[in-house]
Amino acid sequence: MPEQLGLPLEGRGEAPMVQRSGEAPTMASGAERSGADHLLERVVERGNVKRALARVRANRGSPGVDGMTVEELPQYLNEHWSEVREQLLGGTYQPQPVLRREIPKASGGRRQLGIPCVLDRLIQQAILQVLQPRFDPSFSEHSYGFRPKRSAHDAVKAAQRYVEEGRRWVVDVDLEKFFDRVNHDVLMGRLARRIGDPRLLRLIRRYLNTGIMVNGVVMERYEGTPQGGPLSPLLANLLLDEVDKQLEKRGHAFARYADDCKVYVRSRRAGERVMAALEQMYAKLRLRINRDKSKVAPVSKCSFLSYAFWFGKGGAARRRVAPKATETLKRRVRQITRRSGGRSIGAVVEELRKYLPGWKRYFQLADTPRIFADHDQWIRHRLRALHLKQWKRGHRTFAELRKLGVPESAAAQAAANTRRWWHNAAMFVHFGLTTRYFDQLGVPRLAD
């Protein structure tokens, strides 16, 4: 990190004007001058920027509109940080447009991401590191997304506790294009209640207003906080915390992860009342509930963070992988093990090693070891079929199977019709391509 990041702060002059939501501008008080209105200095402080740079480099990610890569960022800072820092403190820094990217959603369709350039990712990360410790302690204990020492697993466990307490109905709320519909004025009003530094407020507003580049054309944005920037999750939590607090006052059992909120109740009628109340709460924030995707339903028919619940002996609530998540797993494995493309078994196994362990870690709470073992068996079946497809010719199939110790009669039957890969993989090849064989290749197992 360049030494410029340690430049001493320059004179600050008069107390800045502070404007709070619904009020006329006023001079900052002495208390505000001593701390709250100097947040931007803390953002650009050398140690904070060094931590932000480390995080941005660790997260990697693709370049934004300027094409600068994460690897090129340190050299850019070495040459230009003094100028950037001066612009930030002087209120003249202008973020670059974000680059729109679409990625497939597990449930189908496409999710739009807004990718800031790496310099703006660094600045947003630096802002996040200053604001999160100030905001997070006041957030609801029922909020789990993008918060220190909290996780999706914690949210799932909380939901399970509610179900075990007898709340067998769930109010499943889907906010309509939440990250695209966040109202800037409402959000800035909530920020102004907590931030006394008008320069930092203006900088955040500029990030909210930054245009989106689509096919080389910059489109203006008047609402929304695009997914892809480090600051967006904190802003989402700040806005939605208002609803969390209302639910807490009413004594509801709920769990929220980002914009995914589930309220657990004891009857359909109670759920319908909660749904009507939530619609009003969100409306005050100028957010809309998607009626087509929101519902009041039995717990067994709703998933939360790709987990679902089933009831074992004695009515105990148990966790399982939601059907859509299982479909996503199989779709991805089919893509990796497709019998076209000419990839080696080693390359296929390497892809599986990148994908399966992460899937397993996320779904480690599932109480379904037999289903995981079935998935393992299915994956090995696909790999056996891939082996046969790559061997192609009958004489090679026969020779390879014999090398693996398959009995001569079974190897001959498999070689007699080499195009029945899936059938042969089930009938004969498992004698040689055993579970131990795939373990030695390094194929991860989902079942312990």
Side-chain angles (χ1 to χ4, degrees):
M1 175 59 62
E3 288 301 317
Q4 288 94 321
L5 298 189
L7 288 176
L9 301 180
E10 297 181 5
R12 296 174 181 131
E14 291 185 335
M17 302 292 286
V18 178
Q19 183 174 4
R20 303 190 185 279
S21 179
E23 299 178 356
T26 59
M27 295 296 291
S29 67
E32 288 173 331
R33 288 194 64 198
S34 65
D37 63 341
H38 294 157
L39 286 177
L40 195 53
E41 276 79 6
R42 292 179 55 190
V43 168
V44 300
E45 187 268 332
R46 183 176 186 271
N48 187 56
V49 176
K50 285 183 66 176
R51 291 191 299 273
L53 177 60
R55 177 58 61 89
V56 169
R57 296 182 72 178
N59 291 341
R60 300 187 64 81
S62 58
V65 296
D66 61 356
M68 187 191 301
T69 66
V70 172
E71 292 75 15
E72 294 170 332
L73 179 58
Q75 181 61 34
Y76 179 87
L77 294 176
N78 189 52
E79 298 174 358
H80 300 285
W81 174 248
S82 180
E83 178 184 352
V84 172
R85 181 178 180 275
E86 182 178 348
Q87 291 175 359
L88 288 168
L89 292 174
T92 61
Y93 181 81
Q94 184 62 50
Q96 296 191 60
V98 298
L99 183 64
R100 190 172 79 176
R101 284 283 185 266
E102 292 186 347
I103 61 173
K105 297 170 64 175
S107 57
R110 311 284 292 180
R111 184 188 306 279
Q112 291 188 2
L113 296 181
I115 303 176
C117 67
V118 291
L119 176 60
D120 285 321
R121 293 210 293 271
L122 172 84
I123 296 170
Q124 286 194 37
Q125 179 65 36
I127 296 172
L128 174 67
Q129 292 169 180
V130 170
L131 295 186
Q132 185 144 33
R134 294 170 60 89
F135 293 178
D136 193 81
S138 67
F139 287 161
S140 167
E141 64 176 301
H142 301 279
S143 167
Y144 296 91
F146 306 102
R147 298 183 61 189
K149 300 181 181 180
R150 285 173 170 255
S151 68
H153 286 173
D154 294 327
V156 171
K157 290 176 183 177
Q160 183 181 21
R161 289 196 299 270
Y162 301 144
V163 175
E164 290 175 340
E165 291 169 358
R167 296 177 173 86
R168 299 295 178 90
W169 288 83
V170 61
V171 182
D172 186 355
V173 176
D174 183 274
L175 291 176
E176 191 173 278
K177 297 182 179 179
F178 169 71
F179 284 94
D180 295 330
R181 296 285 173 81
V182 170
N183 183 278
H184 292 176
D185 291 335
V186 172
L187 176 57
M188 292 305 302
R190 271 57 181 179
L191 279 169
R193 296 174 185 174
R194 294 171 176 255
I195 297 176
D197 189 333
R199 300 166 304 164
L200 182 54
L201 288 172
R202 285 194 293 269
L203 179 59
I204 294 174
R205 182 92 192 206
R206 285 178 179 172
Y207 274 117
L208 292 175
N209 291 341
T210 299
I212 299 177
M213 180 172 286
V214 183
N215 297 324
V217 178
V218 177
M219 303 172 59
E220 293 184 354
R221 186 172 73 237
Y222 302 101
E223 61 180 1
T225 172
Q227 298 182 71
L231 199 54
S232 292
L234 179 65
L235 299 181
N237 276 334
L238 174 66
L239 187 64
L240 294 176
D241 186 65
E242 190 164 317
V243 174
D244 295 344
K245 293 300 197 301
Q246 288 296 318
L247 290 173
E248 284 181 349
K249 288 180 181 178
R250 301 181 186 204
H252 289 302
F254 70 98
R256 181 178 65 79
Y257 192 96
D259 60 329
D260 191 355
C261 181
K262 300 288 189 292
V263 185
Y264 295 86
V265 296
R266 299 181 186 275
S267 67
R268 177 183 288 275
R269 181 174 296 181
E272 291 172 347
R273 289 197 299 267
V274 172
M275 181 68 81
L278 281 171
E279 192 165 10
Q280 295 179 3
M281 294 179 199
Y282 287 123
K284 291 180 180 179
L285 300 177
R286 301 190 191 178
L287 298 171
R288 292 197 298 269
I289 290 178
N290 187 328
R291 290 182 173 271
D292 294 333
K293 295 184 178 180
S294 301
K295 59 184 178 293
V296 177
V299 166
S300 59
K301 296 185 178 179
C302 286
S303 64
F304 183 36
L305 300 175
S306 296
Y307 278 89
F309 296 106
W310 59 285
F311 299 99
K313 294 181 179 180
R318 310 293 294 276
R319 299 177 293 254
R320 65 184 177 91
V321 181
K324 286 186 178 180
T326 298
E327 293 172 9
T328 300
L329 165 72
K330 291 195 169 184
R331 184 165 57 247
R332 179 66 180 132
V333 171
R334 286 191 187 100
Q335 182 183 27
I336 294 173
T337 60
R338 63 191 183 277
R339 293 187 292 276
S340 61
R343 294 168 305 144
S344 68
I345 288 294
V348 171
V349 170
E350 185 59 30
E351 284 196 58
L352 291 174
R353 292 177 65 179
K354 292 178 181 178
Y355 177 69
L356 293 178
W359 193 94
K360 179 181 179 179
R361 282 193 300 272
Y362 184 79
F363 289 107
Q364 62 183 288
L365 298 182
D367 302 309
T368 52
R370 180 177 297 181
I371 293 177
F372 279 23
D374 290 343
H375 291 341
D376 284 335
Q377 185 176 0
W378 174 76
I379 292 169
R380 289 192 293 268
H381 192 153
R382 290 195 62 84
L383 290 172
R384 291 181 183 116
L386 180 59
H387 264 297
L388 289 174
K389 169 65 165 58
Q390 292 184 340
W391 291 336
K392 293 182 180 179
R393 298 183 184 279
H395 66 274
R396 183 182 176 190
T397 298
F398 179 83
E400 295 289 347
L401 291 178
R402 289 295 289 145
K403 286 179 185 177
L404 292 168
V406 175
E408 184 174 350
S409 60
Q413 290 183 60
N417 192 346
T418 55
R419 291 195 175 275
R420 299 187 67 188
W421 302 304
W422 188 256
H423 172 77
N424 285 341
M427 296 298 294
F428 309 113
V429 181
H430 66 278
F431 289 120
L433 301 178
T434 62
T435 300
R436 182 180 179 184
Y437 169 82
F438 289 113
D439 287 344
Q440 291 174 340
L441 281 182
V443 178
R445 291 198 200 188
L446 298 178
D448 293 326

